[in-house]
Amino acid sequence: MGRFVNPFTDYGWKLLFGEEASKSILIEFLNDLLEGERHILNLKYLKTEELPENIYGRGVIFDILCESDTGEKFIVELQNKAQLFVKDRFIFYMSRAISKQGIKGKSWDFSLYPVYGIFLLNFTLPGGKACLRTDVAYMDMVSKELFSDRSRMIFLQLPYFTKCEEECITNMDKWFYILTRMDTLERMPWKAQKAAFEKLMERAETANFTPEEQAQYEAQLDAYRVMNSAMAQSKLEGTIEGKKEMAQRLKELGIDLSVISQSSGLTIDEIKKL
């Protein structure tokens, strides 16, 4: 186990961005991401049950739903593997958050607060541009002018980030460098330059875990490694055997059968027979 937590596990993602104690980290990340567009002074976390899916369904790691002090809503999601109709699901998430602004049983003038979807992807979008960041909004197709800022999606395809430490100039470069390498780092770079990185170091150090927290994290880390290994093998082999091996290894780790079914594409009955 490395010095710092792996942010691509549910435990690590929630620890670094999804808890009240880590709120200042999330605020600074969003402000750096939206520099020149929005500036957030405070956030409150909302119940993730407002989002329509189980956090383990279709490879989702952890959904953060929060609201700024000026009313904007932010969906921040980390996802480890590509899925069918992934773009449609992101649109559905956004539509759900927008539609919930309607006031039931009262007259409503349809004035909306902006909803931002921030999607960190540990894979490349099918049919997407080969670039790290893609910004999506309502646009006039002829003039190319912004039609409305009430729905904004930002896709961050992390495999396209390849800079070394010396090449990281902007704050977002530094965020991406740390997040994509955190579990292998021996020190937290730039912590003297940016308070959020010092806070990130405090939250991320695995030496601070209780024995129970360590056991929970290690189980999730094992599952993450198994999934990555099996996905790579399955991609190379292109056969059902790769899916079965992934399902078998996840089953041995005690992962819920419904989660294994969604991850592997096998039925629960097929998994039980392994």
Side-chain angles (χ1 to χ4, degrees):
M1 186 167 65
R3 177 182 176 184
F4 300 115
V5 72
N6 186 324
F8 297 105
T9 61
D10 177 60
Y11 188 90
W13 181 243
K14 183 179 179 181
L15 179 73
L16 300 179
F17 292 102
E19 297 180 347
E20 193 67 26
S22 55
K23 184 166 68 174
S24 62
I25 300 172
L26 179 60
I27 289 174
E28 195 151 352
F29 175 79
L30 292 175
N31 281 335
D32 286 339
L33 186 69
L34 301 172
E35 185 176 7
E37 181 177 349
R38 300 272 176 191
H39 186 76
I40 302 160
L41 295 177
N42 197 17
L43 287 173
K44 65 177 179 180
Y45 290 103
L46 305 176
K47 292 182 180 180
T48 55
E49 285 80 5
E50 291 188 30
L51 294 176
E53 299 215 11
N54 181 296
I55 60 174
Y56 292 104
R58 304 181 184 175
V60 176
I61 288 299
F62 189 78
D63 291 322
I64 299 168
L65 179 60
C66 52
E67 183 178 78
S68 75
D69 51 336
T70 51
E72 298 98 338
K73 285 187 170 57
F74 295 88
I75 300 167
V76 188
E77 177 182 304
L78 173 67
Q79 191 173 108
N80 270 328
K81 70 184 185 72
Q83 304 147 12
L84 292 174
F85 312 115
V86 64
K87 294 179 183 178
D88 291 347
R89 189 170 63 80
F90 292 144
I91 293 170
F92 182 66
Y93 267 21
M94 298 294 290
S95 301
R96 181 72 174 265
I98 291 171
S99 67
K100 278 188 170 288
Q101 294 184 40
I103 302 173
K104 294 182 179 180
K106 295 182 180 180
S107 177
W108 177 46
D109 63 4
F110 288 92
S111 176
L112 297 172
Y113 290 111
V115 176
Y116 283 80
I118 316 297
F119 303 110
L120 290 90
L121 309 178
N122 204 14
F123 59 91
T124 58
L125 274 175
K129 294 189 299 182
C131 60
L132 174 62
R133 175 172 176 167
T134 301
D135 287 65
V136 178
Y138 291 117
M139 178 193 71
D140 185 302
M141 294 182 66
V142 176
S143 68
K144 308 301 180 184
E145 295 178 349
L146 184 68
F147 177 77
S148 172
D149 68 348
R150 293 311 190 242
S151 178
R152 290 271 282 103
M153 291 190 287
I154 301 175
F155 298 100
L156 304 169
Q157 299 179 86
L158 297 179
Y160 288 121
F161 183 80
T162 58
K163 291 184 178 181
C164 64
E165 184 176 342
E166 292 72 23
E167 294 174 314
C168 295
I169 306 300
T170 69
N171 282 330
M172 288 314 303
D173 283 346
K174 295 171 183 178
W175 279 110
F176 293 137
Y177 179 87
I178 290 172
L179 291 175
T180 55
R181 294 165 173 79
M182 182 177 289
D183 63 332
T184 63
L185 293 176
E186 294 298 325
R187 60 177 181 83
M188 184 62 65
W190 309 295
K191 68 181 179 67
Q193 303 173 20
K194 194 170 179 65
F197 295 153
E198 185 171 6
K199 181 71 171 179
L200 199 67
M201 181 184 72
E202 294 172 3
R203 298 285 292 165
E205 287 204 272
T206 56
N208 296 330
F209 291 177
T210 65
E212 293 77 14
E213 290 170 338
Q214 182 172 333
Q216 182 182 357
Y217 169 60
E218 287 182 340
Q220 292 189 5
L221 186 61
D222 285 343
Y224 170 76
R225 289 169 173 165
V226 167
M227 182 188 72
N228 274 0
S229 174
M231 283 174 60
Q233 181 176 341
S234 180
K235 185 175 181 180
L236 288 173
E237 295 179 355
T239 67
I240 192 65
E241 293 306 316
K243 295 181 179 180
K244 286 183 177 179
E245 181 174 346
M246 176 177 70
Q248 177 67 41
R249 293 168 72 181
L250 290 174
K251 184 179 176 183
E252 290 170 358
L253 288 171
I255 305 300
D256 186 86
L257 295 185
S258 64
V259 176
I260 301 175
S261 177
Q262 291 172 351
S263 300
S264 66
L266 301 176
T267 67
I268 290 179
D269 284 340
E270 288 173 326
I271 295 166
K272 288 179 178 178
K273 294 176 183 178
L274 295 176

